[in-house]
Amino acid sequence: MPDCAHCRHEWSYGETLKKSFQMKMVCPYCKQDNYHSARGRKRSMMTSVVLAPAIILFGTFIDAPWLWVILIALVLGMITIAATPFLMELSKEEEPLW
């Protein structure tokens, strides 16, 4: 779980999951603004970039019915969303991605 960049208090899983889809996140403890770090955004982006082609290739290579491919994509998408708080890092200011 990420720590607040200001007060270093560790956020809970639920707090992190709720705030993970916002660019600017307010710490529930010290009320300071936190931002996704560039490293954390790159990690999250890589899971998405790798996941989509993997699903397409999986369906193509094993000649699976489209319903199976869609169900597998939904399950992997939910796993990715559930893992998002573990990949998140916070910074005090917004960092450029590159």
Side-chain angles (χ1 to χ4, degrees):
M1 292 305 119
D3 296 333
C4 174
H6 299 279
C7 68
R8 296 289 179 209
H9 196 281
E10 185 175 357
W11 293 8
S12 71
Y13 179 82
E15 292 166 341
T16 307
L17 189 60
K18 283 184 215 173
K19 297 175 187 290
S20 65
F21 300 103
Q22 302 170 355
M23 283 303 291
K24 183 172 81 170
M25 300 166 282
V26 178
C27 176
Y29 305 101
C30 69
K31 307 299 184 214
Q32 296 288 324
D33 292 339
N34 288 277
Y35 299 89
H36 291 274
S37 70
R39 181 178 173 204
R41 285 189 292 169
K42 287 177 188 175
R43 271 198 261 166
S44 295
M45 184 175 43
M46 287 309 292
T47 59
S48 301
V49 168
V50 170
L51 190 61
I55 292 169
I56 293 169
L57 291 174
F58 171 76
T60 304
F61 284 135
I62 67 165
D63 198 28
W66 281 105
L67 181 60
W68 285 25
V69 174
I70 291 170
L71 289 175
I72 291 170
L74 289 173
V75 169
L76 290 176
M78 289 189 297
I79 290 171
T80 302
I81 290 171
T84 298
F86 297 106
L87 301 173
M88 189 186 309
E89 290 181 9
L90 301 175
S91 67
K92 291 181 181 179
E93 54 195 41
E94 193 168 1
E95 300 172 353
L97 191 55
W98 305 109

